[in-house]
Amino acid sequence: MVAATPDPSVAEMIERHQDTLDRALAAIESRDYWSPYPEFPKAYGESGPADGKAAFDALLGKVFAIEGQPTNGDLVAGEASPYGIELGVSYPHAEADDLVAAMEQARPAWAQATPAARAAVCLEILARINARSHEFAQAVMHTTGQAYGMAFQAGGPHAQDRGLEAVAYAYAEQVRLPRQATWTKPQGKREPLSMVKEFTVVPRGLALLIGCNTFPTWNGYPGLFASLATGNPVLVKPHPRAVLPLALTVRIAREVLAEAGFDPNLVCLAAEHEGGAIAQVLAVRPEVKLIDYTGSTSFGDWLEEHARQAQVYTEKAGVNTVVIDSTDNYKGMLSNLAFALSLYSGQMCTTPQNLLIPRGGIRTDEGTKSYDEVVADLAAAIDGLLGDDARAAAILGAVVNPGVLQRTVAAAAGEYGELALTPRVVESAEFPGATIRTPALVKVDADKPDDRTAFLGECFGPVSFAVAVDSSEAAVELLRRTVREQGAMTAGAYTVDEGVEAALVEAALDSGVSLSLNLTGGVYVNQTAAFSDLHGTGANPAANAAYCDGAFVAGRFRTVQVRRHS
Amino acid sequence: MVAATPDPSVAEMIERHQDTLDRALAAIESRDYWSPYPEFPKAYGESGPADGKAAFDALLGKVFAIEGQPTNGDLVAGEASPYGIELGVSYPHAEADDLVAAMEQARPAWAQATPAARAAVCLEILARINARSHEFAQAVMHTTGQAYGMAFQAGGPHAQDRGLEAVAYAYAEQVRLPRQATWTKPQGKREPLSMVKEFTVVPRGLALLIGCNTFPTWNGYPGLFASLATGNPVLVKPHPRAVLPLALTVRIAREVLAEAGFDPNLVCLAAEHEGGAIAQVLAVRPEVKLIDYTGSTSFGDWLEEHARQAQVYTEKAGVNTVVIDSTDNYKGMLSNLAFALSLYSGQMCTTPQNLLIPRGGIRTDEGTKSYDEVVADLAAAIDGLLGDDARAAAILGAVVNPGVLQRTVAAAAGEYGELALTPRVVESAEFPGATIRTPALVKVDADKPDDRTAFLGECFGPVSFAVAVDSSEAAVELLRRTVREQGAMTAGAYTVDEGVEAALVEAALDSGVSLSLNLTGGVYVNQTAAFSDLHGTGANPAANAAYCDGAFVAGRFRTVQVRRHS
């Protein structure tokens, strides 16, 4: 439940959140660690987890009403918990025409609000979402399959961080021009020419957010808050299997907007059955001027091709690579990689897929290790990490959907190549119906055409490839080529050789992928921290945008000038 | 001629131009008047005009060599001075493949230069262009038809201002992230996690500038310098009738780049015959990642449709409107409008085309004036302004090309409607072969379908329409509709009524056009000042970008991050 809040004026919201906004603006410049949203579950009170669970349970088996939003009376439902529990939440369906009409009506007043007012409303929305992080954790867990700890952090505070980061960038971009300026041009001995000029931010129009199955909030909040903070209404079209986290978000946003005196239809939910086509219909509506999308390459390409009336920000598929050249911390490298490959069953767009290892072996602090030894040791590290079922479940989470499960089956059957590590079924004591699998590690050779076919396409889920390559130089070139041709959200490398490191950095800059070097501790290649790390680059086929930079927000509004003599 | 400059290192260029860059960065924030490039011809020395003329004359009738740039040995020529003098300049032609290959080879070193180095090189280029402003004035005059005074200012210092403004925005955008940052995340009682993160600007790739006939430098420099300053090579494809100003620009840019130790092929010229198709070929090359275009709507639309691999910035056709509701300075209004309509024979993308006047007349400081009176008085004001042929020529310039001339003939023949002012031929004593025409003012009625057809399409050149409308409210709605449907680079209005003014501002914000109110002195609706006024908005069909804002530069590069433990 939302804590009862006295109907706050926008001015009150601005005052309440000014410090947070100021600190966020400083953080995106310094890039040091910062967050206003604690990532430790205990920070949310003793009863936080239980309260969140109770709030979540109260949603199950019911219609998720969204008061005041258009509906055609139909209900849609299609979520299935990867943990096997019955959800039974259904959502009101609405016709595209009705949604668009309601949002167009809501649009002008929000467009006329100041950037400061919009930022404050967004921060109030985020604060209320933050207070309910345990409830969101349950919703994220049971739609994405993320383990509770990850669903709490990545689906809660870390997603909120990304939302706040987008608000900060949006605010900064909107106030680069003064609201009003005087212009005085000397005219020699004559009176100077003198003008007063007013600069007004003009939002682009209706924004469409198309959510994904695995990270509905983390991947959804940057676009949602970037568009909203720049004055555009946002229509949220969740993935049919991950509606609840975004439905909660929409409901909270509507509550705050209404309290601030705005039309709650500035944020609407477009829920639909799996296989529905409302995204295609909405994406080409002339009113839709902004689209944020995370998902498959095929639909991302379709959007870029067909939604020509809109600015389209996409995050699509990619193939992430780690180059293993050498290390001075072999054990640290293995445990870091084991965790990176296991976390959320490899179902992150940032999880490494291909580990490139010279077939002649690598130098380590424990002596030279052959390709086979590295692969066996990594397999053992993963085995060790996931040996205990309870611990394994807490790291792996559950398999998000049947498509991913099918790939684990194919991998286990040896369809991708020789297995260095065979996936196994993990039983959950808490959730007997959970679908949990340990990762597969497949041995392939960069010189074998069949192997290349297997590892050079995206194999989303708990399947990675230990790719034997001729040399570290060959690994660097394969990294470069993979990023250029397949796209990548992340790249990693281990090396103690300055020459190899320089070549890796050059290849990363050249192909346009961010690089994590020699991670051996508590930072993983698949994790990026808001306010500091960029998520994606927009410079390779995996995404045309990054969270978050000036380019992500600058196109979401225009500036109109009015000038007159002073 | 370029002043002999001691081979300066990039460091020297940075030092030399630091103050100018700093002041430009301050100017784009304050939006007050500022320019480092004097707009008075006399500021360039007693012999400046003669030296510029001599330098220009030395180019005529010759091959314009571009040392070191690929060529297939062919020469192209097609410029014809609107002043009737023989130009006879021919330019080396090159195959698209060869140009792209040379520029791709030049690309990496420029991409690796720092934003500060690139800004300094760009400012050195601009400084050398500035020193040759009188030579550029001749080149602009005899390709565009602008009168010398305007060719000097708009083609010289004002274009240089726009280039510098783009460099300032590009620099500011590239340094928003620190080059390096530390990130320290507390871990309770454990050691904090600590990382060093490096952020590197990665330019997008080859940029293509497609120039226009009327303002080759003013409209070309923003894109050219925005792309170059963000690390992208720029291939300059001038309009076949306005090559020389951009050819001079390319040659100077190449000289400076070479002196700074870079490959001069970072800036190349792609000259072609009129009717050639090299722009279409280049625009869809996979290497081309950025396109800046000014010109017809049809080719702009083609670029947006087909050059999908590139970010495309377009300025296309539009219909500019002035609403005349009331004024407290009737004479000032008439003289301001007369000049705005006459300047460069209405051949500015910012010239008003439609003047909306209530058929019941307007309130003025000289009493109520009927529609017919306003039109007659405006016609008289234009007649008075252009009564003397020498003065007329200095304001009108010459007709840029046969297409525009044809429209003046059609207007004179009454094809667009009843003439309130009939165009006449102006003779130039200095240039007997000059094609100079005074503007046509056509009386039309907003309620007549035939008239609407005439005035609601772009009629580029010295033809304006005095449109009788039912009321000021109807005028505001027609303004809104015209901007939305036809696009507009400018809008103007005269009113002393607060309600009408509020409605005008609302319509301007809603339709996305900048508005000039009650201009009665030395500022004209068709002029925008760099560092203060935005040129275009990107919010209506006339353009998808504005000179200059964050959105114009933010998409020209990406940021790649490298992180490691500290």
Side-chain angles (χ1 to χ4, degrees):
Chain A
M1 289 295 298
V2 179
T5 311
D7 189 1
S9 73
V10 174
E12 281 170 344
M13 288 188 192
I14 291 175
E15 195 184 336
R16 188 181 316 147
H17 298 294
Q18 189 65 54
D19 181 58
T20 304
L21 180 61
D22 288 342
R23 294 178 69 182
L25 289 166
I28 59 175
E29 288 196 0
S30 81
R31 314 304 288 186
D32 199 350
Y33 170 77
W34 179 73
S35 171
Y37 308 124
E39 68 178 4
F40 296 107
K42 286 184 180 167
Y44 296 80
E46 275 297 309
S47 65
D51 293 348
K53 175 76 161 55
F56 171 71
D57 286 344
L59 299 168
L60 303 184
K62 297 205 179 72
V63 174
F64 191 99
I66 301 181
E67 207 181 326
Q69 182 181 304
T71 171
N72 64 2
D74 292 349
L75 294 173
V76 297
E79 293 163 304
S81 171
Y83 291 95
I85 70 165
E86 186 67 29
L87 296 176
V89 188
S90 56
Y91 304 89
H93 189 60
E95 302 298 333
D97 281 347
D98 296 337
L99 287 169
V100 169
M103 300 183 77
E104 282 291 294
Q105 197 174 335
R107 191 165 60 81
W110 186 240
Q112 285 157 27
T114 64
R118 290 195 290 252
V121 169
C122 288
L123 265 63
E124 178 65 23
I125 295 168
L126 284 165
R128 294 197 196 176
I129 290 171
N130 175 252
R132 292 165 66 174
S133 290
H134 279 290
E135 183 184 352
F136 273 86
Q138 293 285 347
V140 169
M141 177 181 184
H142 286 290
T143 49
T144 69
Q146 291 175 29
Y148 188 79
M150 182 177 181
F152 178 84
Q153 288 196 338
H158 294 177
Q160 296 148 21
D161 283 341
R162 284 290 177 199
L164 173 55
E165 182 187 53
V167 173
Y169 267 98
Y171 177 80
E173 197 69 28
Q174 292 173 89
V175 299
R176 283 175 86 167
L177 293 187
R179 182 74 188 82
Q180 183 172 304
T182 54
W183 178 86
T184 309
K185 182 176 179 180
Q187 297 291 295
K189 291 169 190 160
R190 287 172 293 151
E191 277 290 291
L193 292 173
S194 180
M195 307 279 290
V196 176
K197 303 179 180 188
E198 286 166 10
F199 301 95
T200 303
V201 166
V202 174
R204 297 299 292 275
L206 186 48
L208 175 65
L209 171 69
I210 304 176
C212 68
N213 196 171
T214 48
F215 290 91
T217 56
W218 200 96
N219 277 104
Y221 284 2
L224 192 164
F225 285 99
S227 284
L228 195 61
T230 47
N232 308 282
V234 183
L235 180 52
V236 177
K237 208 304 280 181
H239 192 283
R241 300 178 69 95
V243 182
L244 190 53
L246 289 176
L248 285 167
T249 304
V250 166
R251 199 144 78 176
I252 293 169
R254 295 171 62 87
E255 285 165 2
V256 174
L257 285 162
E259 286 178 28
F262 295 99
D263 186 333
N265 283 330
L266 287 166
V267 178
C268 288
L269 185 75
E272 67 170 350
H273 285 292
E274 192 151 10
I278 199 170
Q280 288 93 316
V281 172
L282 290 168
V284 296
R285 290 281 304 213
E287 299 89 347
V288 170
K289 300 297 189 192
L290 300 165
I291 299 176
D292 285 273
Y293 167 79
T294 311
S296 71
T297 296
S298 58
F299 191 55
D301 289 346
W302 186 92
L303 286 170
E304 291 172 10
E305 177 72 26
H306 291 90
R308 308 299 304 285
Q309 85 294 349
Q311 178 88 31
V312 180
Y313 305 87
T314 56
E315 182 182 324
K316 302 180 285 191
V319 174
N320 303 318
T321 299
V322 174
V323 171
I324 303 179
D325 165 75
S326 53
T327 179
D328 57 8
N329 182 355
Y330 188 57
K331 284 201 173 57
M333 177 184 87
L334 293 174
S335 65
N336 186 282
L337 282 175
F339 189 83
L341 297 175
S342 302
L343 183 64
Y344 187 29
S345 306
Q347 298 170 130
M348 302 172 75
C349 58
T350 51
T351 304
Q353 175 178 308
N354 295 338
L355 313 174
L356 312 188
I357 308 165
R359 64 182 92 249
I362 68 167
R363 278 188 300 145
T364 82
D365 54 321
E366 300 181 13
T368 299
K369 301 286 182 182
S370 70
Y371 166 84
D372 283 331
E373 285 174 308
V374 174
V375 176
D377 291 342
L378 179 59
I382 297 171
D383 249 350
L385 178 70
L386 305 175
D388 171 68
D389 269 8
R391 186 180 174 197
I395 294 169
L396 293 167
V399 174
V400 64
N401 61 37
V404 176
L405 184 63
Q406 191 278 329
R407 278 191 285 279
T408 70
V409 172
E415 286 184 24
Y416 298 125
E418 181 191 344
L419 287 165
L421 185 66
T422 306
R424 71 178 176 85
V425 173
V426 174
E427 301 292 347
S428 163
E430 192 181 357
F431 297 104
T435 306
I436 308 178
R437 299 289 182 278
T438 61
L441 184 59
V442 182
K443 292 172 79 167
V444 291
D445 193 306
D447 288 351
K448 294 186 181 160
D450 282 0
D451 286 4
R452 291 178 77 92
T453 305
F455 74 78
L456 281 180
E458 189 190 46
C459 189
F460 187 78
V463 181
S464 346
F465 296 89
V467 184
V469 294
D470 282 342
S471 63
S472 294
E473 291 67 41
V476 172
E477 284 319 300
L478 183 52
L479 164 66
R480 185 199 311 265
R481 189 184 144 187
T482 305
V483 176
R484 278 197 182 157
E485 295 178 2
Q486 307 297 322
M489 294 304 294
T490 60
Y494 292 89
T495 185
V496 294
D497 183 306
E498 283 184 16
V500 173
E501 180 176 321
L504 283 160
V505 170
E506 192 275 328
L509 295 177
D510 181 46
S511 59
V513 67
S514 287
L515 178 68
S516 295
L517 279 167
N518 298 318
L519 298 185
T520 53
V523 174
Y524 304 95
V525 65
N526 25 355
Q527 295 177 320
T528 61
F531 308 108
S532 183
D533 294 316
L534 291 163
H535 173 73
T537 63
N540 70 61
N544 75 2
Y547 306 154
C548 190
D549 61 9
F552 190 67
V553 297
R556 294 179 197 259
F557 68 91
R558 298 294 188 198
T559 305
V560 170
Q561 173 186 329
V562 176
R563 62 178 180 175
R564 67 194 96 202
H565 287 291
S566 40
Chain B
M1 289 293 299
V2 178
T5 311
D7 187 1
S9 72
V10 174
E12 281 170 343
M13 287 188 193
I14 292 175
E15 197 186 334
R16 188 179 320 146
H17 297 295
Q18 189 65 54
D19 180 58
T20 303
L21 180 60
D22 289 343
R23 293 178 70 183
L25 290 166
I28 59 174
E29 289 197 359
S30 81
R31 315 304 288 185
D32 199 350
Y33 171 76
W34 180 74
S35 170
Y37 308 123
E39 67 179 5
F40 297 106
K42 287 185 180 164
Y44 296 80
E46 276 298 312
S47 66
D51 293 349
K53 175 74 163 56
F56 171 71
D57 286 344
L59 298 168
L60 302 184
K62 298 207 179 71
V63 174
F64 191 98
I66 301 180
E67 208 181 324
Q69 181 181 307
T71 172
N72 63 3
D74 291 349
L75 293 173
V76 297
E79 292 163 306
S81 169
Y83 291 93
I85 70 165
E86 186 68 27
L87 296 174
V89 189
S90 57
Y91 304 89
H93 189 60
E95 302 297 332
D97 280 349
D98 296 337
L99 286 170
V100 169
M103 300 183 78
E104 282 290 295
Q105 197 174 333
R107 190 166 59 81
W110 186 241
Q112 285 158 27
T114 64
R118 289 194 291 251
V121 169
C122 287
L123 265 63
E124 179 65 21
I125 295 169
L126 284 164
R128 293 197 196 177
I129 290 171
N130 176 251
R132 292 166 67 174
S133 290
H134 279 290
E135 182 184 352
F136 273 86
Q138 293 285 346
V140 169
M141 177 181 182
H142 286 288
T143 49
T144 70
Q146 290 174 30
Y148 188 80
M150 182 177 181
F152 179 84
Q153 288 197 337
H158 294 176
Q160 296 148 21
D161 282 340
R162 283 289 178 200
L164 174 55
E165 180 187 55
V167 173
Y169 267 99
Y171 177 80
E173 197 69 28
Q174 292 174 89
V175 299
R176 283 175 86 166
L177 293 186
R179 183 72 188 83
Q180 183 173 302
T182 54
W183 178 86
T184 308
K185 182 176 179 179
Q187 297 291 294
K189 291 168 189 158
R190 285 173 294 151
E191 277 288 291
L193 291 173
S194 180
M195 307 280 290
V196 175
K197 303 178 179 188
E198 286 165 11
F199 301 94
T200 303
V201 166
V202 175
R204 297 298 292 274
L206 185 49
L208 175 64
L209 171 69
I210 303 177
C212 67
N213 195 169
T214 47
F215 289 91
T217 57
W218 199 96
N219 277 103
Y221 285 2
L224 191 164
F225 284 100
S227 284
L228 195 61
T230 49
N232 307 283
V234 183
L235 180 51
V236 177
K237 208 303 279 178
H239 192 283
R241 301 176 71 91
V243 182
L244 190 54
L246 289 175
L248 284 167
T249 304
V250 166
R251 197 144 79 177
I252 293 170
R254 295 171 61 89
E255 285 166 1
V256 174
L257 285 161
E259 285 178 29
F262 296 100
D263 186 334
N265 282 329
L266 288 166
V267 178
C268 286
L269 184 75
E272 67 171 348
H273 284 291
E274 192 150 13
I278 199 170
Q280 287 92 318
V281 171
L282 290 167
V284 297
R285 290 282 303 212
E287 300 89 347
V288 170
K289 300 297 188 190
L290 300 165
I291 299 176
D292 285 272
Y293 167 77
T294 310
S296 71
T297 295
S298 59
F299 191 56
D301 290 346
W302 185 93
L303 287 169
E304 291 172 9
E305 177 72 26
H306 292 90
R308 308 298 305 282
Q309 85 295 346
Q311 180 87 32
V312 180
Y313 305 88
T314 55
E315 182 182 324
K316 301 179 286 194
V319 174
N320 303 318
T321 299
V322 173
V323 171
I324 302 178
D325 165 74
S326 53
T327 180
D328 57 8
N329 183 354
Y330 188 58
K331 285 204 173 54
M333 178 185 87
L334 293 174
S335 66
N336 186 282
L337 282 174
F339 189 83
L341 297 176
S342 302
L343 184 62
Y344 187 29
S345 307
Q347 298 169 128
M348 302 173 76
C349 57
T350 52
T351 304
Q353 175 180 309
N354 296 338
L355 313 175
L356 313 188
I357 307 165
R359 67 181 89 250
I362 67 168
R363 277 189 299 145
T364 82
D365 55 320
E366 301 181 12
T368 298
K369 300 285 181 181
S370 70
Y371 165 84
D372 283 330
E373 284 173 309
V374 175
V375 176
D377 290 343
L378 179 59
I382 297 171
D383 249 349
L385 179 69
L386 305 176
D388 172 69
D389 269 8
R391 186 178 174 197
I395 294 170
L396 293 167
V399 174
V400 63
N401 60 39
V404 175
L405 184 62
Q406 191 279 326
R407 277 191 285 279
T408 69
V409 172
E415 288 184 24
Y416 299 124
E418 181 191 344
L419 287 167
L421 185 67
T422 305
R424 70 177 178 88
V425 173
V426 174
E427 301 292 346
S428 164
E430 192 180 357
F431 297 105
T435 306
I436 308 177
R437 299 290 181 276
T438 61
L441 183 59
V442 182
K443 291 171 82 167
V444 290
D445 193 306
D447 288 350
K448 294 187 181 159
D450 281 1
D451 285 4
R452 291 177 78 91
T453 305
F455 74 77
L456 281 178
E458 190 191 45
C459 188
F460 188 78
V463 181
S464 345
F465 296 89
V467 184
V469 293
D470 282 343
S471 63
S472 293
E473 292 67 38
V476 173
E477 285 318 300
L478 183 53
L479 164 66
R480 186 199 311 266
R481 187 181 147 193
T482 304
V483 176
R484 279 198 181 154
E485 294 178 4
Q486 307 297 324
M489 295 304 293
T490 60
Y494 292 88
T495 183
V496 294
D497 182 306
E498 283 184 16
V500 173
E501 180 176 321
L504 283 160
V505 170
E506 193 276 327
L509 295 175
D510 181 47
S511 59
V513 67
S514 287
L515 178 68
S516 296
L517 278 167
N518 297 320
L519 298 184
T520 52
V523 175
Y524 304 94
V525 63
N526 27 353
Q527 294 178 319
T528 62
F531 309 108
S532 183
D533 294 317
L534 292 163
H535 173 73
T537 64
N540 71 60
N544 74 3
Y547 307 153
C548 188
D549 62 9
F552 190 68
V553 297
R556 295 179 195 258
F557 67 92
R558 298 295 189 195
T559 305
V560 170
Q561 172 185 330
V562 176
R563 62 179 180 174
R564 66 195 99 203
H565 286 292
S566 42

